[in-house]
Amino acid sequence: MSGLGTLLGLSYTATVIMVGAAVLGLAAGSLGSFAVLRGRSLVGDALAHAALPGIVLGFLLTGSRDPVTVLVGVAGAAIVAALAIVGMARLPRVSDDMAIGVVLTGSFSLGIMLLVVASQHPSPQKAGLRSYLFGQAAGTTTDDVAAMAWIAGIGVLAAAVGFRALRTLLFDARFGAAAGLPVRALEVLVTMLLVAAIVVGLRTVGVILMVSLLVTPTVVARQLCGRMSRLVPTAGLAGMLIGSSGAI
């Protein structure tokens, strides 16, 4: 880190923040592109907002907000939110956007209510819970960057391994089902990729701005690429540039 900071003329702290934001941009851009191309951009927004009650509830149950507690809380809340969206969308007279809107506003409202409850908790760590709303890039450490890199790497690897099947799902789900592809499992995989990207970025940019890093890189990449095999890595590169430039 110190060598890179010297090369760029940045302090050690600024270098850590920039590298963390670049890793976040890479993960959010490349993984978020699958949701955007599937027409599920707002699902990422709903899952990001659903992460807030997961974090606060984990704190209330354990009295701590260590990385493991945050990870479990975010993943659990995001899975519940995803299942709620799918379940509500199957109800008569309820469309996908209605289900997403209900889950987004409902989970965020629940998170704010739990923040009020957490403010009465005796643990001194309650003071940092509100930072997950807007993020706290200045508090990024090398351990945070390493954890972000691991999660991002696993997510990108999963996307690369299942790329051909995911591409079929995105552009012709009916053909994929007829060809024998596990459509439901692939839908779950796309959701889990979103969860991975959200977990990576929550501490840095917060639940409010997370959706911008999931959507904007893909919008930029679509202006430059016509093939998905090029669009996904281009979205990752665009996310890196957006994240690192924003951090600087």
Side-chain angles (χ1 to χ4, degrees):
M1 288 288 186
S2 57
L4 179 60
T6 302
L7 180 64
L8 297 175
L10 300 173
S11 65
Y12 178 81
T13 302
T15 304
V16 171
I17 295 172
M18 187 198 70
V19 172
V23 171
L24 166 60
L26 172 64
S30 56
L31 301 180
S33 62
F34 292 97
V36 175
L37 294 175
R38 187 77 172 92
R40 302 286 180 85
S41 302
L42 286 181
V43 171
D45 195 14
L47 297 183
H49 282 74
L52 181 62
I55 294 170
V56 182
L57 187 59
F59 168 77
L60 291 173
L61 293 175
T62 64
S64 172
R65 54 184 181 90
D66 60 88
V68 175
T69 302
V70 171
L71 176 61
V72 172
V74 171
I79 291 172
V80 171
L83 292 175
I85 291 172
V86 172
M88 290 184 62
R90 292 180 178 177
L91 296 175
R93 301 180 181 178
V94 177
S95 60
D96 288 348
D97 57 342
M98 290 180 184
I100 292 170
V102 170
V103 171
L104 189 156
T105 55
S107 59
F108 191 61
S109 299
L110 177 61
I112 297 299
M113 291 172 59
L114 289 175
L115 276 176
V116 175
V117 175
S119 65
Q120 308 300 320
H121 199 280
S123 173
Q125 294 193 36
K126 65 184 179 183
L129 287 174
R130 291 185 180 274
S131 65
Y132 289 100
L133 279 172
F134 303 102
Q136 194 175 28
T140 305
T141 65
T142 53
D143 290 339
D144 293 330
V145 175
M148 291 162 63
W150 272 104
I151 297 173
I154 293 171
V156 171
L157 179 61
V161 171
F163 179 78
R164 295 185 64 180
L166 289 172
R167 180 174 58 185
T168 303
L169 172 69
L170 295 180
F171 294 105
D172 198 338
R174 292 184 179 180
F175 171 77
L181 290 177
V183 174
R184 291 287 178 84
L186 291 174
E187 290 278 9
V188 171
L189 177 58
V190 171
T191 303
M192 291 301 101
L193 293 177
L194 272 179
V195 172
I198 291 167
V199 169
V200 169
L202 208 59
R203 179 179 174 85
T204 305
V205 299
V207 301
I208 304 296
L209 295 178
M210 189 63 224
V211 67
S212 64
L213 278 179
L214 292 172
V215 176
T216 305
T218 304
V219 174
V220 173
R222 291 197 69 178
Q223 312 308 309
L224 304 174
C225 304
R227 299 180 60 182
M228 187 176 172
S229 58
R230 296 178 180 176
L231 186 145
V232 174
T234 302
L237 178 60
M240 286 183 64
L241 293 175
I242 293 172
S244 57
S245 61
I248 296 175

mmCIF file of all heavy atoms in Angstrom, residues 32-79:
data_model
loop_
_atom_site.group_PDB
_atom_site.id
_atom_site.type_symbol
_atom_site.label_atom_id
_atom_site.label_comp_id
_atom_site.label_asym_id
_atom_site.label_seq_id
_atom_site.Cartn_x
_atom_site.Cartn_y
_atom_site.Cartn_z
ATOM 1 N N GLY A 32 -23.168 -6.435 -10.602
ATOM 2 C CA GLY A 32 -24.431 -5.726 -10.786
ATOM 3 C C GLY A 32 -24.924 -5.749 -12.216
ATOM 4 O O GLY A 32 -26.126 -5.608 -12.466
ATOM 5 N N SER A 33 -24.018 -5.957 -13.179
ATOM 6 C CA SER A 33 -24.424 -5.962 -14.585
ATOM 7 C C SER A 33 -25.417 -7.075 -14.888
ATOM 8 O O SER A 33 -26.307 -6.919 -15.733
ATOM 9 C CB SER A 33 -23.194 -6.110 -15.491
ATOM 10 O OG SER A 33 -22.526 -7.332 -15.252
ATOM 11 N N PHE A 34 -25.309 -8.206 -14.188
ATOM 12 C CA PHE A 34 -26.242 -9.310 -14.421
ATOM 13 C C PHE A 34 -27.661 -8.921 -14.008
ATOM 14 O O PHE A 34 -28.629 -9.271 -14.670
ATOM 15 C CB PHE A 34 -25.790 -10.559 -13.664
ATOM 16 C CG PHE A 34 -24.520 -11.161 -14.198
ATOM 17 C CD1 PHE A 34 -23.302 -10.877 -13.605
ATOM 18 C CD2 PHE A 34 -24.543 -11.985 -15.304
ATOM 19 C CE1 PHE A 34 -22.123 -11.424 -14.102
ATOM 20 C CE2 PHE A 34 -23.372 -12.527 -15.818
ATOM 21 C CZ PHE A 34 -22.162 -12.248 -15.210
ATOM 22 N N ALA A 35 -27.781 -8.201 -12.901
ATOM 23 C CA ALA A 35 -29.102 -7.759 -12.450
ATOM 24 C C ALA A 35 -29.668 -6.695 -13.377
ATOM 25 O O ALA A 35 -30.862 -6.701 -13.694
ATOM 26 C CB ALA A 35 -29.011 -7.225 -11.027
ATOM 27 N N VAL A 36 -28.830 -5.770 -13.838
ATOM 28 C CA VAL A 36 -29.287 -4.699 -14.723
ATOM 29 C C VAL A 36 -29.774 -5.285 -16.044
ATOM 30 O O VAL A 36 -30.849 -4.919 -16.548
ATOM 31 C CB VAL A 36 -28.165 -3.677 -14.965
ATOM 32 C CG1 VAL A 36 -28.604 -2.629 -15.986
ATOM 33 C CG2 VAL A 36 -27.783 -2.994 -13.660
ATOM 34 N N LEU A 37 -29.016 -6.203 -16.631
ATOM 35 C CA LEU A 37 -29.397 -6.808 -17.899
ATOM 36 C C LEU A 37 -30.635 -7.694 -17.758
ATOM 37 O O LEU A 37 -31.361 -7.901 -18.730
ATOM 38 C CB LEU A 37 -28.233 -7.633 -18.456
ATOM 39 C CG LEU A 37 -26.986 -6.833 -18.857
ATOM 40 C CD1 LEU A 37 -25.870 -7.766 -19.279
ATOM 41 C CD2 LEU A 37 -27.306 -5.855 -19.975
ATOM 42 N N ARG A 38 -30.869 -8.188 -16.568
ATOM 43 C CA ARG A 38 -32.062 -9.012 -16.312
ATOM 44 C C ARG A 38 -33.281 -8.138 -16.070
ATOM 45 O O ARG A 38 -34.397 -8.626 -15.945
ATOM 46 C CB ARG A 38 -31.808 -9.893 -15.082
ATOM 47 C CG ARG A 38 -32.894 -10.928 -14.803
ATOM 48 C CD ARG A 38 -32.792 -12.096 -15.741
ATOM 49 N NE ARG A 38 -33.700 -13.165 -15.371
ATOM 50 C CZ ARG A 38 -34.939 -13.306 -15.831
ATOM 51 N NH1 ARG A 38 -35.417 -12.426 -16.691
ATOM 52 N NH2 ARG A 38 -35.698 -14.308 -15.460
ATOM 53 N N GLY A 39 -33.079 -6.814 -16.021
ATOM 54 C CA GLY A 39 -34.178 -5.914 -15.725
ATOM 55 C C GLY A 39 -34.520 -5.881 -14.255
ATOM 56 O O GLY A 39 -35.660 -5.599 -13.871
ATOM 57 N N ARG A 40 -33.539 -6.158 -13.417
ATOM 58 C CA ARG A 40 -33.757 -6.203 -11.968
ATOM 59 C C ARG A 40 -32.914 -5.172 -11.240
ATOM 60 O O ARG A 40 -32.408 -5.437 -10.149
ATOM 61 C CB ARG A 40 -33.417 -7.604 -11.443
ATOM 62 C CG ARG A 40 -34.214 -8.736 -12.086
ATOM 63 C CD ARG A 40 -35.640 -8.756 -11.595
ATOM 64 N NE ARG A 40 -36.425 -9.815 -12.197
ATOM 65 C CZ ARG A 40 -36.469 -11.061 -11.757
ATOM 66 N NH1 ARG A 40 -35.725 -11.398 -10.718
ATOM 67 N NH2 ARG A 40 -37.235 -11.953 -12.334
ATOM 68 N N SER A 41 -32.751 -4.006 -11.817
ATOM 69 C CA SER A 41 -31.906 -2.975 -11.204
ATOM 70 C C SER A 41 -32.398 -2.609 -9.808
ATOM 71 O O SER A 41 -31.609 -2.457 -8.870
ATOM 72 C CB SER A 41 -31.887 -1.721 -12.088
ATOM 73 O OG SER A 41 -31.417 -2.017 -13.373
ATOM 74 N N LEU A 42 -33.717 -2.461 -9.674
ATOM 75 C CA LEU A 42 -34.267 -2.043 -8.384
ATOM 76 C C LEU A 42 -34.227 -3.147 -7.343
ATOM 77 O O LEU A 42 -34.394 -2.884 -6.152
ATOM 78 C CB LEU A 42 -35.705 -1.543 -8.566
ATOM 79 C CG LEU A 42 -35.843 -0.168 -9.229
ATOM 80 C CD1 LEU A 42 -37.306 0.223 -9.336
ATOM 81 C CD2 LEU A 42 -35.070 0.887 -8.448
ATOM 82 N N VAL A 43 -34.009 -4.400 -7.778
ATOM 83 C CA VAL A 43 -33.846 -5.471 -6.796
ATOM 84 C C VAL A 43 -32.593 -5.209 -5.965
ATOM 85 O O VAL A 43 -32.584 -5.404 -4.748
ATOM 86 C CB VAL A 43 -33.760 -6.847 -7.491
ATOM 87 C CG1 VAL A 43 -33.376 -7.931 -6.486
ATOM 88 C CG2 VAL A 43 -35.090 -7.196 -8.135
ATOM 89 N N GLY A 44 -31.525 -4.755 -6.619
ATOM 90 C CA GLY A 44 -30.312 -4.399 -5.897
ATOM 91 C C GLY A 44 -30.568 -3.291 -4.897
ATOM 92 O O GLY A 44 -30.037 -3.322 -3.776
ATOM 93 N N ASP A 45 -31.377 -2.311 -5.277
ATOM 94 C CA ASP A 45 -31.718 -1.221 -4.362
ATOM 95 C C ASP A 45 -32.499 -1.756 -3.163
ATOM 96 O O ASP A 45 -32.223 -1.385 -2.005
ATOM 97 C CB ASP A 45 -32.549 -0.183 -5.113
ATOM 98 C CG ASP A 45 -32.634 1.145 -4.375
ATOM 99 O OD1 ASP A 45 -31.843 1.337 -3.421
ATOM 100 O OD2 ASP A 45 -33.462 1.983 -4.734
ATOM 101 N N ALA A 46 -33.446 -2.646 -3.431
ATOM 102 C CA ALA A 46 -34.248 -3.215 -2.342
ATOM 103 C C ALA A 46 -33.379 -4.045 -1.395
ATOM 104 O O ALA A 46 -33.513 -3.953 -0.166
ATOM 105 C CB ALA A 46 -35.371 -4.080 -2.908
ATOM 106 N N LEU A 47 -32.463 -4.842 -1.960
ATOM 107 C CA LEU A 47 -31.601 -5.673 -1.115
ATOM 108 C C LEU A 47 -30.644 -4.812 -0.295
ATOM 109 O O LEU A 47 -30.324 -5.131 0.853
ATOM 110 C CB LEU A 47 -30.817 -6.665 -1.972
ATOM 111 C CG LEU A 47 -31.641 -7.704 -2.742
ATOM 112 C CD1 LEU A 47 -30.718 -8.658 -3.486
ATOM 113 C CD2 LEU A 47 -32.555 -8.471 -1.805
ATOM 114 N N ALA A 48 -30.158 -3.717 -0.894
ATOM 115 C CA ALA A 48 -29.264 -2.820 -0.160
ATOM 116 C C ALA A 48 -29.991 -2.180 1.017
ATOM 117 O O ALA A 48 -29.439 -2.074 2.125
ATOM 118 C CB ALA A 48 -28.724 -1.742 -1.096
ATOM 119 N N HIS A 49 -31.232 -1.751 0.806
ATOM 120 C CA HIS A 49 -31.994 -1.153 1.900
ATOM 121 C C HIS A 49 -32.377 -2.199 2.939
ATOM 122 O O HIS A 49 -32.480 -1.890 4.138
ATOM 123 C CB HIS A 49 -33.252 -0.460 1.360
ATOM 124 C CG HIS A 49 -32.973 0.871 0.738
ATOM 125 N ND1 HIS A 49 -32.373 0.997 -0.497
ATOM 126 C CD2 HIS A 49 -33.179 2.137 1.186
ATOM 127 C CE1 HIS A 49 -32.246 2.283 -0.787
ATOM 128 N NE2 HIS A 49 -32.716 2.995 0.218
ATOM 129 N N ALA A 50 -32.595 -3.432 2.488
ATOM 130 C CA ALA A 50 -32.941 -4.500 3.429
ATOM 131 C C ALA A 50 -31.763 -4.871 4.321
ATOM 132 O O ALA A 50 -31.952 -5.470 5.388
ATOM 133 C CB ALA A 50 -33.419 -5.736 2.664
ATOM 134 N N ALA A 51 -30.545 -4.533 3.878
ATOM 135 C CA ALA A 51 -29.366 -4.861 4.682
ATOM 136 C C ALA A 51 -29.347 -4.099 6.002
ATOM 137 O O ALA A 51 -28.805 -4.601 7.005
ATOM 138 C CB ALA A 51 -28.097 -4.543 3.889
ATOM 139 N N LEU A 52 -29.935 -2.909 6.040
ATOM 140 C CA LEU A 52 -29.898 -2.093 7.259
ATOM 141 C C LEU A 52 -30.553 -2.792 8.451
ATOM 142 O O LEU A 52 -29.922 -2.896 9.513
ATOM 143 C CB LEU A 52 -30.539 -0.728 7.004
ATOM 144 C CG LEU A 52 -30.548 0.233 8.196
ATOM 145 C CD1 LEU A 52 -29.131 0.560 8.625
ATOM 146 C CD2 LEU A 52 -31.308 1.517 7.845
ATOM 147 N N PRO A 53 -31.796 -3.276 8.335
ATOM 148 C CA PRO A 53 -32.361 -3.981 9.492
ATOM 149 C C PRO A 53 -31.577 -5.240 9.855
ATOM 150 O O PRO A 53 -31.533 -5.627 11.025
ATOM 151 C CB PRO A 53 -33.794 -4.318 9.055
ATOM 152 C CG PRO A 53 -33.784 -4.225 7.574
ATOM 153 C CD PRO A 53 -32.785 -3.158 7.251
ATOM 154 N N GLY A 54 -30.949 -5.879 8.868
ATOM 155 C CA GLY A 54 -30.132 -7.058 9.164
ATOM 156 C C GLY A 54 -28.940 -6.713 10.032
ATOM 157 O O GLY A 54 -28.619 -7.429 10.992
ATOM 158 N N ILE A 55 -28.281 -5.588 9.719
ATOM 159 C CA ILE A 55 -27.126 -5.153 10.504
ATOM 160 C C ILE A 55 -27.536 -4.787 11.926
ATOM 161 O O ILE A 55 -26.913 -5.199 12.907
ATOM 162 C CB ILE A 55 -26.443 -3.957 9.823
ATOM 163 C CG1 ILE A 55 -25.830 -4.380 8.488
ATOM 164 C CG2 ILE A 55 -25.360 -3.357 10.717
ATOM 165 C CD1 ILE A 55 -25.343 -3.219 7.653
ATOM 166 N N VAL A 56 -28.599 -3.982 12.034
ATOM 167 C CA VAL A 56 -29.030 -3.507 13.358
ATOM 168 C C VAL A 56 -29.551 -4.666 14.204
ATOM 169 O O VAL A 56 -29.270 -4.749 15.412
ATOM 170 C CB VAL A 56 -30.107 -2.418 13.216
ATOM 171 C CG1 VAL A 56 -30.503 -1.892 14.585
ATOM 172 C CG2 VAL A 56 -29.593 -1.271 12.348
ATOM 173 N N LEU A 57 -30.289 -5.586 13.584
ATOM 174 C CA LEU A 57 -30.804 -6.732 14.331
ATOM 175 C C LEU A 57 -29.657 -7.614 14.822
ATOM 176 O O LEU A 57 -29.688 -8.114 15.959
ATOM 177 C CB LEU A 57 -31.758 -7.538 13.452
ATOM 178 C CG LEU A 57 -32.519 -8.679 14.140
ATOM 179 C CD1 LEU A 57 -33.363 -8.128 15.287
ATOM 180 C CD2 LEU A 57 -33.398 -9.409 13.139
ATOM 181 N N GLY A 58 -28.639 -7.792 13.964
ATOM 182 C CA GLY A 58 -27.474 -8.551 14.397
ATOM 183 C C GLY A 58 -26.786 -7.900 15.587
ATOM 184 O O GLY A 58 -26.337 -8.595 16.514
ATOM 185 N N PHE A 59 -26.707 -6.573 15.573
ATOM 186 C CA PHE A 59 -26.112 -5.847 16.705
ATOM 187 C C PHE A 59 -26.952 -6.022 17.966
ATOM 188 O O PHE A 59 -26.414 -6.242 19.058
ATOM 189 C CB PHE A 59 -25.999 -4.361 16.363
ATOM 190 C CG PHE A 59 -25.671 -3.493 17.542
ATOM 191 C CD1 PHE A 59 -24.384 -3.437 18.048
ATOM 192 C CD2 PHE A 59 -26.661 -2.741 18.156
ATOM 193 C CE1 PHE A 59 -24.074 -2.645 19.144
ATOM 194 C CE2 PHE A 59 -26.372 -1.945 19.253
ATOM 195 C CZ PHE A 59 -25.072 -1.900 19.747
ATOM 196 N N LEU A 60 -28.274 -5.928 17.842
ATOM 197 C CA LEU A 60 -29.143 -6.059 19.002
ATOM 198 C C LEU A 60 -29.051 -7.451 19.624
ATOM 199 O O LEU A 60 -29.180 -7.612 20.838
ATOM 200 C CB LEU A 60 -30.595 -5.756 18.608
ATOM 201 C CG LEU A 60 -30.909 -4.296 18.259
ATOM 202 C CD1 LEU A 60 -32.325 -4.176 17.738
ATOM 203 C CD2 LEU A 60 -30.703 -3.394 19.467
ATOM 204 N N LEU A 61 -28.824 -8.461 18.792
ATOM 205 C CA LEU A 61 -28.755 -9.836 19.294
ATOM 206 C C LEU A 61 -27.400 -10.164 19.917
ATOM 207 O O LEU A 61 -27.314 -10.981 20.835
ATOM 208 C CB LEU A 61 -29.061 -10.818 18.163
ATOM 209 C CG LEU A 61 -30.491 -10.801 17.620
ATOM 210 C CD1 LEU A 61 -30.621 -11.741 16.426
ATOM 211 C CD2 LEU A 61 -31.495 -11.183 18.714
ATOM 212 N N THR A 62 -26.341 -9.542 19.391
ATOM 213 C CA THR A 62 -24.990 -9.891 19.857
ATOM 214 C C THR A 62 -24.304 -8.782 20.637
ATOM 215 O O THR A 62 -23.325 -9.038 21.347
ATOM 216 C CB THR A 62 -24.102 -10.249 18.653
ATOM 217 O OG1 THR A 62 -23.947 -9.094 17.808
ATOM 218 C CG2 THR A 62 -24.714 -11.383 17.838
ATOM 219 N N GLY A 63 -24.780 -7.538 20.499
ATOM 220 C CA GLY A 63 -24.116 -6.412 21.152
ATOM 221 C C GLY A 63 -22.818 -6.030 20.476
ATOM 222 O O GLY A 63 -22.018 -5.273 21.028
ATOM 223 N N SER A 64 -22.608 -6.526 19.252
ATOM 224 C CA SER A 64 -21.364 -6.253 18.537
ATOM 225 C C SER A 64 -21.675 -6.006 17.066
ATOM 226 O O SER A 64 -22.699 -6.472 16.545
ATOM 227 C CB SER A 64 -20.403 -7.437 18.674
ATOM 228 O OG SER A 64 -19.262 -7.265 17.839
ATOM 229 N N ARG A 65 -20.794 -5.270 16.401
ATOM 230 C CA ARG A 65 -20.913 -5.086 14.955
ATOM 231 C C ARG A 65 -19.590 -5.440 14.269
ATOM 232 O O ARG A 65 -19.122 -4.731 13.386
ATOM 233 C CB ARG A 65 -21.354 -3.666 14.603
ATOM 234 C CG ARG A 65 -20.514 -2.541 15.171
ATOM 235 C CD ARG A 65 -21.121 -1.193 14.809
ATOM 236 N NE ARG A 65 -20.322 -0.092 15.317
ATOM 237 C CZ ARG A 65 -19.321 0.479 14.632
ATOM 238 N NH1 ARG A 65 -19.019 0.049 13.422
ATOM 239 N NH2 ARG A 65 -18.624 1.477 15.156
ATOM 240 N N ASP A 66 -19.021 -6.562 14.701
ATOM 241 C CA ASP A 66 -17.804 -7.045 14.066
ATOM 242 C C ASP A 66 -18.130 -7.527 12.656
ATOM 243 O O ASP A 66 -19.303 -7.737 12.312
ATOM 244 C CB ASP A 66 -17.194 -8.180 14.886
ATOM 245 C CG ASP A 66 -18.140 -9.354 15.035
ATOM 246 O OD1 ASP A 66 -18.146 -10.237 14.173
ATOM 247 O OD2 ASP A 66 -18.921 -9.358 16.012
ATOM 248 N N PRO A 67 -17.127 -7.686 11.790
ATOM 249 C CA PRO A 67 -17.371 -8.037 10.385
ATOM 250 C C PRO A 67 -18.207 -9.293 10.181
ATOM 251 O O PRO A 67 -19.032 -9.346 9.269
ATOM 252 C CB PRO A 67 -15.950 -8.214 9.830
ATOM 253 C CG PRO A 67 -15.100 -7.338 10.686
ATOM 254 C CD PRO A 67 -15.701 -7.411 12.047
ATOM 255 N N VAL A 68 -18.009 -10.308 11.027
ATOM 256 C CA VAL A 68 -18.771 -11.550 10.869
ATOM 257 C C VAL A 68 -20.253 -11.309 11.142
ATOM 258 O O VAL A 68 -21.136 -11.767 10.397
ATOM 259 C CB VAL A 68 -18.225 -12.643 11.805
ATOM 260 C CG1 VAL A 68 -19.099 -13.894 11.732
ATOM 261 C CG2 VAL A 68 -16.787 -12.990 11.446
ATOM 262 N N THR A 69 -20.549 -10.559 12.220
ATOM 263 C CA THR A 69 -21.943 -10.247 12.553
ATOM 264 C C THR A 69 -22.599 -9.443 11.441
ATOM 265 O O THR A 69 -23.743 -9.703 11.054
ATOM 266 C CB THR A 69 -22.018 -9.462 13.873
ATOM 267 O OG1 THR A 69 -21.411 -10.226 14.919
ATOM 268 C CG2 THR A 69 -23.453 -9.155 14.244
ATOM 269 N N VAL A 70 -21.872 -8.467 10.910
ATOM 270 C CA VAL A 70 -22.401 -7.647 9.811
ATOM 271 C C VAL A 70 -22.668 -8.506 8.579
ATOM 272 O O VAL A 70 -23.715 -8.396 7.932
ATOM 273 C CB VAL A 70 -21.421 -6.506 9.477
ATOM 274 C CG1 VAL A 70 -21.849 -5.793 8.198
ATOM 275 C CG2 VAL A 70 -21.342 -5.517 10.633
ATOM 276 N N LEU A 71 -21.711 -9.384 8.253
ATOM 277 C CA LEU A 71 -21.854 -10.239 7.079
ATOM 278 C C LEU A 71 -23.074 -11.145 7.205
ATOM 279 O O LEU A 71 -23.885 -11.251 6.270
ATOM 280 C CB LEU A 71 -20.592 -11.082 6.897
ATOM 281 C CG LEU A 71 -20.603 -12.113 5.752
ATOM 282 C CD1 LEU A 71 -20.778 -11.399 4.423
ATOM 283 C CD2 LEU A 71 -19.336 -12.934 5.765
ATOM 284 N N VAL A 72 -23.227 -11.786 8.352
ATOM 285 C CA VAL A 72 -24.363 -12.680 8.560
ATOM 286 C C VAL A 72 -25.677 -11.899 8.528
ATOM 287 O O VAL A 72 -26.674 -12.335 7.927
ATOM 288 C CB VAL A 72 -24.214 -13.428 9.899
ATOM 289 C CG1 VAL A 72 -25.479 -14.223 10.220
ATOM 290 C CG2 VAL A 72 -23.014 -14.364 9.846
ATOM 291 N N GLY A 73 -25.688 -10.724 9.164
ATOM 292 C CA GLY A 73 -26.896 -9.910 9.179
ATOM 293 C C GLY A 73 -27.304 -9.448 7.801
ATOM 294 O O GLY A 73 -28.481 -9.531 7.417
ATOM 295 N N VAL A 74 -26.340 -8.976 7.016
ATOM 296 C CA VAL A 74 -26.622 -8.508 5.655
ATOM 297 C C VAL A 74 -27.109 -9.658 4.780
ATOM 298 O O VAL A 74 -28.115 -9.534 4.060
ATOM 299 C CB VAL A 74 -25.373 -7.863 5.032
ATOM 300 C CG1 VAL A 74 -25.591 -7.579 3.551
ATOM 301 C CG2 VAL A 74 -25.029 -6.573 5.761
ATOM 302 N N ALA A 75 -26.393 -10.779 4.816
ATOM 303 C CA ALA A 75 -26.763 -11.918 3.976
ATOM 304 C C ALA A 75 -28.150 -12.449 4.343
ATOM 305 O O ALA A 75 -28.980 -12.713 3.469
ATOM 306 C CB ALA A 75 -25.717 -13.023 4.117
ATOM 307 N N GLY A 76 -28.406 -12.572 5.658
ATOM 308 C CA GLY A 76 -29.709 -13.078 6.085
ATOM 309 C C GLY A 76 -30.847 -12.157 5.682
ATOM 310 O O GLY A 76 -31.877 -12.607 5.157
ATOM 311 N N ALA A 77 -30.675 -10.852 5.912
ATOM 312 C CA ALA A 77 -31.719 -9.894 5.571
ATOM 313 C C ALA A 77 -31.942 -9.834 4.064
ATOM 314 O O ALA A 77 -33.085 -9.726 3.595
ATOM 315 C CB ALA A 77 -31.347 -8.510 6.103
ATOM 316 N N ALA A 78 -30.868 -9.902 3.284
ATOM 317 C CA ALA A 78 -30.990 -9.842 1.829
ATOM 318 C C ALA A 78 -31.719 -11.071 1.290
ATOM 319 O O ALA A 78 -32.551 -10.962 0.376
ATOM 320 C CB ALA A 78 -29.612 -9.727 1.185
ATOM 321 N N ILE A 79 -31.425 -12.240 1.858
ATOM 322 C CA ILE A 79 -32.107 -13.464 1.419
ATOM 323 C C ILE A 79 -33.602 -13.392 1.742
ATOM 324 O O ILE A 79 -34.455 -13.733 0.915
ATOM 325 C CB ILE A 79 -31.459 -14.693 2.071
ATOM 326 C CG1 ILE A 79 -30.054 -14.907 1.511
ATOM 327 C CG2 ILE A 79 -32.315 -15.938 1.850
ATOM 328 C CD1 ILE A 79 -29.253 -15.975 2.221
#
